[in-house]
Amino acid sequence: MHSSNPWPHEGNLAFVEGLYVDFLRDPANVSAEWRRYFEAAADPARDSAALHRGQVGPSFRPASLFNPPGAGNGAHRSVGDVAQRQDNVDRLVRAYRVRGHIIAQLDPLGFNRRSHPALEPSYYGFSESDLDRPFSSRTIAGASVRTLREIVELLRSTYCRCIGVQFMHIDDLESRHWLQERMESTQNRIDVPRDRQIRILKHLTDSVTFEEFIQKKFVHAKSFSLEGAESLIPLLDLAIDKAGDDGVQEIVIGMAHRGRLNVLRNIMGKSARQIFREFADVDAEHKIGRGDVKYHLGYQNDWRTAGGHDVHLALCFNPSHLEFVNPVALGRLRAKLDRIGDHAADRGLCIQIHGDAAFAGEGVVQETLNMSELRGYQCGGSLHIIVNNQIGFTTTPQEGRSTPYATDVARMLQCPIFHVNGEDPEAVAQAVTLALDFRKRYKRDVFIDMYCYRRRGHNEGDEPSFTQPIMYRAIGERKSVRFGYFEHLEKLGGVTREEAEKIAQASHDALERELSSLGEPTAPKVRRSFQATLWRNYHGGHDHNVPDVETGVPRERLAHLLDALTRLPDEFHPFPKIVRFLETRKQMSLGEKPLDWAAAEALAFATLATEHHRVRLSGQDCGRGTFSQRHAVLHDVVDGHTHTALQHLTKDQAPVEIINSPLSEAGVLGFEYGYGIAYPDALVMWEAQFGDFVNCAQVIVDQFISSAEDKWESLNGLVLLLPHGFEGQGPEHSSARVERFLQLCAEDNMQVVNPTTPAQYFHVLRRQVCRPYRKPLIVLTPKSLLRHPAAVSSLDDLTHGTFRRIIPDANAKPAQTTRILLCGGKVFFDLEEERRSRKRDDVAIIRLEQFYPLADELLKGVLSHYPDGTPVFWVQEEPANMGAWPYLRARFGDWLYDTYPFGHVSRAASASPATGSPGSHKIEQKHLLEQAFAQSGKPVARGARPAHV
């Protein structure tokens, strides 16, 4: 409007009508000149000549605005009618943005075609004659005026072809408008150059050829074929290439087993020969009792993009529990980002590949999505790819979910969801390009729901036509996506039949060569130097092969660090009780008071951090501590800002993160396990609010923590802190279910400890990092002992030695001992007090601090001071079918080392861990202690049965 002609749109009815609608909604939307004009036009009492005073165009009359085309000047239409018609056009535009995906051509089988009345112009009162009428299209990218027909065609092309998009649930206008502009300006199409088309065709060919080759050469073998979803391979190829050229250096991939072998071969670069050896099972002798099926295995390799950038790929090992790898992959990437200090998450990407039924059905999906934008778990947004086979095992979507889309749970995030027809590889290319651009710009998750099908059954021995005869009749009649794409390129003149056949032959010949050399051993897998260096100094194996290390710290350093933990910034306003807490800790640093559990823990964290070991603790309420014991993160009572003293010890210390987690067990524990994969030199911990809650993450314990070394030769030093102890708080706040961990223990796969003093806790945490031995550590942490006057240690107890796996009875008189009580954890203090009150000097109490691995030479050495035949009783608070007793009973039977009769004292076997009545708990505890100190006789001769209480 600042050109030489101040009214360039004069006479352009559609433009002025649109401008007038803006004026009616808010006069400030238009310029002062147009505002004056519309105010005059809306006043019928004004002389029309008045409209032309000032700078109003001389030939523009109110009739031009209010008369429909072809009508005489006397046939004025109302202002409301003008606004209503344009408003209806705007409603139609919005309907396509909101609901266009409903009628998109997504299903390659042609099923599930839907319609929606709100996507028809007639729904808004438009007739056929209105289609060629111009309207304002200023809300659409490009021309400001289009006919209704052009508007509808553009919207259908953008939102209803082979890509359907859900993005209008995003509240942030800027990101939503960015998506609109990108999609509507291109009509959601990508210009694919010939070299990329050939590359797509080659990847489709490699994918199809690999699956067909497997089916012919290894008949009836399970492979969980990718057939029907082969577009996943060019999708991943484009995603990795684009991400690498955008600056990403590390990509972590999590996926289930369907299509995994194809991804291993055609994306990860795993040798086909090695995959064929796994099919032929040529290494069976070396895998007795260990290893995993071939479609669960992970792999690492390097990738060079077309632009010459290097990317490291890591495909996570994954069991058949499908979606539980999601948080593991995220945690692994977060550790990589933290290690290089990439807080903006510019150099890493997590790709999560899901199945449609699992994505909709597994709760860990929601847990992981909820974590995606939380401070402690952010990774810059994941690329989610849902391989939508439209069936789960034999279950249809109508039986497997209550929502229209498998991805509807993803709408909890402010992120776009791209539904795409998997048999249109160029639509897939557009979806992944746009998704990654959004992810890079906004650092949020993005979702590609790739509609395809499963050519075979759930596995290669399944007959899918039993339950889906119609679907599989249609599938049987379809050619591969590779053939369809070749025909598309051939019509465009982009590739000849001879070129396509040459690509196919080369792919097949490469596999034949690999198969012919199946008997030859494969070259060892080469990892890049960074990975080799990362784990070079750490190992697993058996506990007895790794000596303990000195974990003590000089007293002066301990006192200095503990004092530093009491200091606050000058302008920090602590809660009054925190002042007393810090004063007490100050007294501990001076040696005036003994250390409690929280102080010893803080010193373990502080000493490790100042020795340049990262410390990371996450869990529910872990900043304060479930029992108000930790107070690692303090809150200012005036403005609420926080202060974490552990982060301000020295200028060159390692980071310390204390992260309050969401109300999630499986997701958060999986994340921390993944973090430990890529950060072996850190102290990585997950704390349950109560130990019992670990059962919500049992899959992570069973499938990763306890078995990863045995299945995948994958080590991890993750620490689980599980509050444990029977204090009358009920069934769900008593037991960390140690029996379940001990049942899983074999081959020194985990460490399970139940320390009884702050010093023991200090040393075991430091041992976990200082010893070059990486195994998960399960720590049964206390509740009532956090403030128990006897459960204390001195600074000197932390200055020397290491964790003591067994603590003998320093006050016992072995020659006079008639009964030995072996125990672990909190019950020791109850037994000690009971012995004192009964004056039972003939009873020895030995603490078993490490349940597993249990070193025979240590236990034998402690017991050797007592006469042969002295009865030994394992005392536990748990019922007889729980706790450590089932494990110890199975290990030792009725005798310890054929020398000491072995029995137990416990609560009676029970279906529930504990009573819900505090009064009943006290009665049970009293009875337990009475049993433990029942009068003992003389030593028992070998062959006699000990008393089992």
Side-chain angles (χ1 to χ4, degrees):
M1 297 192 185
H2 297 288
S3 64
S4 57
N5 178 8
W7 307 105
H9 300 290
E10 184 177 327
N12 188 331
L13 181 63
F15 175 82
V16 180
E17 284 186 351
L19 203 61
Y20 188 63
V21 171
D22 286 347
F23 167 76
L24 292 175
R25 290 170 177 162
D26 183 358
N29 284 336
V30 301
S31 68
E33 292 87 348
W34 281 109
R35 190 157 57 245
R36 287 197 302 271
Y37 181 81
F38 290 136
E39 287 170 352
D43 184 358
R46 290 218 179 172
D47 185 339
S48 61
L51 297 175
H52 307 145
R53 299 191 182 101
Q55 295 183 351
V56 178
S59 64
F60 201 80
R61 300 286 191 276
S64 304
L65 179 59
F66 302 127
N67 286 356
N73 287 342
H76 296 299
R77 113 177 90 111
S78 69
V79 172
D81 182 51
V82 174
Q84 185 62 56
R85 293 176 70 83
Q86 183 61 51
D87 194 54
N88 285 343
V89 172
D90 293 342
R91 288 171 60 204
L92 177 63
V93 172
R94 178 176 173 79
Y96 270 93
R97 291 168 177 162
V98 175
R99 299 185 179 88
H101 56 86
I102 293 175
I103 66 170
Q105 301 166 24
L106 302 177
D107 185 358
L109 298 177
F111 301 142
N112 303 315
R113 291 285 167 84
R114 295 181 289 173
S115 61
H116 198 287
L119 301 177
E120 298 297 332
S122 59
Y123 182 79
Y124 303 93
F126 294 115
S127 65
E128 185 70 23
S129 62
D130 290 318
L131 293 178
D132 294 316
R133 178 186 178 86
F135 287 94
S136 170
S137 58
R138 286 173 299 103
T139 64
I140 304 173
S144 59
V145 177
R146 292 180 175 93
T147 66
L148 181 58
R149 188 187 306 278
E150 291 170 335
I151 290 172
V152 171
E153 288 175 353
L154 183 148
L155 294 171
R156 283 183 178 271
S157 182
T158 301
Y159 297 113
C160 306
R161 288 187 307 109
C162 289
I163 300 177
V165 190
Q166 290 177 283
F167 70 103
M168 293 295 282
H169 59 281
I170 299 175
D171 294 325
D172 175 44
L173 288 177
E174 197 277 330
S175 59
R176 203 168 73 204
H177 289 162
W178 181 87
L179 281 165
Q180 284 176 197
E181 170 68 26
R182 281 290 302 269
M183 292 187 290
E184 293 170 8
S185 63
T186 63
Q187 297 185 38
N188 243 349
R189 299 172 191 264
I190 189 172
D191 182 18
V192 182
R194 184 178 187 277
D195 61 337
R196 175 58 71 176
Q197 290 175 332
I198 297 297
R199 184 162 173 163
I200 290 173
L201 180 63
K202 182 182 184 305
H203 277 292
L204 288 173
T205 302
D206 289 342
S207 179
V208 170
T209 304
F210 178 82
E211 297 295 354
E212 292 176 347
F213 194 89
I214 292 293
Q215 300 305 320
K216 291 176 181 177
K217 303 297 183 179
F218 303 97
V219 180
H220 303 310
K222 284 185 180 181
S223 65
F224 293 95
S225 162
L226 187 63
E227 290 171 281
E230 292 94 341
S231 290
L232 176 65
I233 300 303
L235 188 163
L236 288 173
D237 171 69
L238 177 59
I240 295 167
D241 233 46
K242 177 170 175 50
D245 289 341
D246 285 344
V248 169
Q249 299 170 1
E250 295 279 352
I251 295 180
V252 178
I253 304 172
M255 71 175 297
H257 46 269
R258 184 163 308 285
R260 191 181 188 89
L261 293 176
N262 211 313
V263 169
L264 280 166
R265 162 63 177 165
N266 292 312
I267 295 297
M268 298 302 300
K270 183 175 181 178
S271 162
R273 184 197 317 174
Q274 180 58 37
I275 295 173
F276 297 156
R277 286 175 64 87
E278 292 161 0
F279 270 102
D281 206 12
V282 296
D283 300 316
E285 286 291 330
H286 302 289
K287 294 182 179 178
I288 294 175
R290 62 175 61 90
D292 200 353
V293 292
K294 50 193 165 291
Y295 37 78
H296 289 173
L297 301 181
Y299 201 74
Q300 297 188 68
N301 212 338
D302 292 322
W303 175 292
R304 173 152 290 190
T305 71
H309 299 95
D310 290 327
V311 182
H312 183 66
L313 305 180
L315 175 65
C316 295
F317 295 95
N318 190 29
S320 284
H321 287 67
L322 302 176
E323 301 296 328
F324 284 85
V325 75
N326 300 345
V328 174
L330 276 177
R332 186 171 180 177
L333 177 63
R334 174 61 182 258
K336 289 172 177 278
L337 296 174
D338 285 350
R339 182 174 287 281
I340 61 177
D342 182 13
H343 305 301
D346 292 324
R347 289 179 278 172
L349 170 65
C350 184
I351 299 177
Q352 300 178 42
I353 306 172
H354 315 272
D356 52 319
F359 192 80
E362 293 285 356
V364 72
V365 171
Q366 184 276 339
E367 292 187 37
T368 308
L369 296 181
N370 185 53
M371 294 161 59
S372 66
E373 295 186 36
L374 302 180
R375 175 184 60 86
Y377 312 95
Q378 287 174 326
C379 294
S382 295
L383 171 62
H384 298 266
I385 303 166
I386 294 84
V387 179
N388 194 334
N389 290 305
Q390 307 183 74
I391 186 173
F393 202 82
T394 64
T395 304
T396 63
Q398 292 75 23
E399 297 170 304
R401 62 177 187 259
S402 298
T403 60
Y405 292 110
T407 54
D408 280 337
V409 66
R411 295 184 65 183
M412 65 183 285
L413 299 180
Q414 298 285 293
C415 304
I417 303 166
F418 301 94
H419 307 281
V420 60
N421 188 320
E423 289 209 343
D424 186 338
E426 294 188 7
V428 172
Q430 163 67 0
V432 73
T433 300
L434 186 54
L436 285 177
D437 283 347
F438 181 91
R439 182 256 173 198
K440 179 183 178 182
R441 182 182 180 94
Y442 297 104
K443 294 294 192 294
R444 299 185 216 151
D445 289 24
V446 286
F447 301 83
I448 298 176
D449 180 16
M450 189 179 76
Y451 274 70
C452 45
Y453 52 87
R454 196 176 67 198
R455 184 169 290 278
R456 303 182 186 275
H458 177 68
N459 60 60
E460 284 61 34
D462 182 32
E463 176 48 76
S465 293
F466 285 154
T467 52
Q468 273 77 33
I470 298 173
M471 172 184 278
Y472 277 87
R473 189 181 307 125
I475 290 173
E477 296 170 354
R478 294 193 69 78
K479 295 180 179 179
S480 71
V481 61
R482 179 258 175 193
F483 185 82
Y485 190 58
F486 158 68
E487 287 188 326
H488 167 71
L489 295 184
E490 188 179 36
K491 290 178 183 177
L492 295 177
V495 67
T496 66
R497 187 169 296 273
E498 290 73 23
E499 286 177 305
E501 290 176 353
K502 185 177 179 180
I503 291 171
Q505 190 63 49
S507 182
H508 183 272
D509 291 348
L511 295 178
E512 284 286 5
R513 287 193 299 272
E514 293 286 281
L515 183 64
S516 66
S517 62
L518 184 145
E520 302 173 13
T522 57
K525 181 172 62 177
V526 178
R527 295 182 178 181
R528 72 176 183 176
S529 58
F530 171 76
Q531 284 296 122
T533 301
L534 189 62
W535 281 95
R536 181 179 56 196
N537 298 321
Y538 305 99
H539 55 87
H542 290 289
D543 177 77
H544 63 260
N545 293 332
V546 185
D548 284 333
V549 294
E550 173 69 37
T551 53
V553 176
R555 194 180 194 282
E556 296 76 14
R557 182 163 168 245
L558 291 171
H560 171 74
L561 289 172
L562 195 56
D563 177 68
L565 292 172
T566 67
R567 300 175 194 154
L568 297 175
D570 292 339
E571 299 303 317
F572 191 85
H573 308 91
F575 189 73
K577 289 185 178 179
I578 295 298
V579 175
R580 293 195 294 273
F581 170 83
L582 296 176
E583 288 172 350
T584 300
R585 186 161 284 186
K586 177 74 172 179
Q587 292 174 308
M588 293 177 185
S589 72
L590 297 172
E592 297 171 0
K593 283 191 175 183
L595 302 175
D596 60 14
W597 202 270
E601 178 189 74
L603 282 173
F605 295 172
T607 53
L608 289 170
T610 52
E611 291 165 12
H612 311 296
H613 294 286
R614 190 184 195 100
V615 175
R616 178 182 169 94
L617 169 63
S618 77
Q620 296 160 27
D621 300 328
C622 70
R624 184 203 67 186
T626 294
F627 313 102
S628 296
Q629 85 283 6
R630 182 173 289 126
H631 295 299
V633 181
L634 304 182
H635 296 257
D636 188 289
V637 298
V638 176
D639 60 14
H641 80 276
T642 61
H643 173 70
T644 303
L646 283 163
Q647 298 172 348
H648 304 280
L649 300 170
T650 62
K651 291 182 179 180
D652 63 344
Q653 71 170 85
V656 177
E657 291 183 289
I658 311 291
I659 302 161
N660 281 342
S661 78
L663 192 63
S664 157
E665 286 81 30
V668 176
L669 180 56
F671 188 99
E672 301 308 334
Y673 177 83
Y675 198 96
I677 292 174
Y679 226 131
D681 46 332
L683 178 63
V684 184
M685 298 162 285
W686 174 72
E687 183 175 61
Q689 194 171 50
F690 285 89
D692 316 61
F693 296 174
V694 73
N695 58 19
C696 293
Q698 197 66 43
V699 171
I700 302 298
V701 174
D702 292 349
Q703 304 302 326
F704 292 93
I705 291 173
S706 68
S707 57
E709 182 180 4
D710 202 45
K711 294 190 296 188
W712 311 318
E713 299 181 3
S714 178
L715 303 178
N716 205 299
L718 177 64
V719 179
L720 275 65
L721 305 179
L722 308 178
H724 175 83
F726 284 58
E727 286 112 350
Q729 295 191 59
E732 278 70 58
H733 294 95
S734 297
S735 175
R737 296 290 194 170
V738 64
E739 65 276 1
R740 294 181 179 171
F741 289 100
L742 293 175
Q743 185 183 40
L744 294 170
C745 286
E747 303 176 292
D748 292 1
N749 60 329
M750 297 186 291
Q751 306 163 95
V752 182
V753 302
N754 194 1
T756 55
T757 70
Q760 281 284 86
Y761 183 46
F762 170 87
H763 286 297
V764 80
L765 291 179
R766 285 185 52 80
R767 183 187 74 169
Q768 185 70 0
V769 177
C770 298
R771 195 164 63 139
Y773 186 65
R774 287 298 174 266
K775 299 285 178 118
L777 171 64
I778 316 302
V779 185
L780 306 180
T781 56
K783 294 177 288 182
S784 62
L785 294 188
L786 293 171
R787 296 176 178 85
H788 195 291
V792 294
S793 300
S794 68
L795 277 173
D796 290 334
D797 293 331
L798 278 58
T799 61
H800 58 272
T802 188
F803 177 72
R804 303 170 69 189
R805 302 169 188 227
I806 299 174
I807 300 181
D809 190 339
N811 299 318
K813 300 174 182 177
Q816 302 174 20
T817 298
T818 62
R819 191 179 186 89
I820 300 171
L821 303 181
L822 189 63
C823 67
K826 166 187 165 289
V827 74
F828 163 76
F829 296 95
D830 297 330
L831 293 171
E832 179 76 8
E833 185 177 350
E834 187 74 10
R835 180 174 66 173
R836 190 180 303 111
S837 67
R838 289 173 178 261
K839 299 181 180 179
R840 288 293 302 274
D841 295 338
D842 63 322
V843 177
I845 305 175
I846 299 172
R847 284 174 274 178
L848 191 60
E849 300 279 291
Q850 179 163 302
F851 293 166
Y852 189 86
L854 179 53
D856 286 324
E857 64 274 13
L858 289 179
L859 184 55
K860 280 182 179 180
V862 172
L863 292 174
S864 66
H865 298 287
Y866 299 90
D868 290 358
T870 304
V872 178
F873 290 90
W874 172 255
V875 183
Q876 66 177 34
E877 296 182 297
E878 300 92 340
N881 58 320
M882 302 178 191
W885 173 243
Y887 156 73
L888 295 171
R889 179 83 166 92
R891 194 182 192 289
F892 295 112
D894 291 338
W895 287 79
L896 284 171
Y897 310 113
D898 293 331
T899 306
Y900 304 96
F902 192 34
H904 79 283
V905 177
S906 71
R907 285 173 165 79
S910 173
S912 174
T915 175
S917 163
S920 295
H921 165 77
K922 292 179 180 178
I923 295 171
E924 291 175 355
Q925 199 75 357
K926 182 175 182 295
H927 183 53
L928 183 79
L929 296 175
E930 289 172 350
Q931 290 177 311
F933 287 92
Q935 201 64 39
S936 300
K938 296 179 180 179
V940 179
R942 184 71 177 93
R945 289 185 61 81
H948 288 278
V949 181

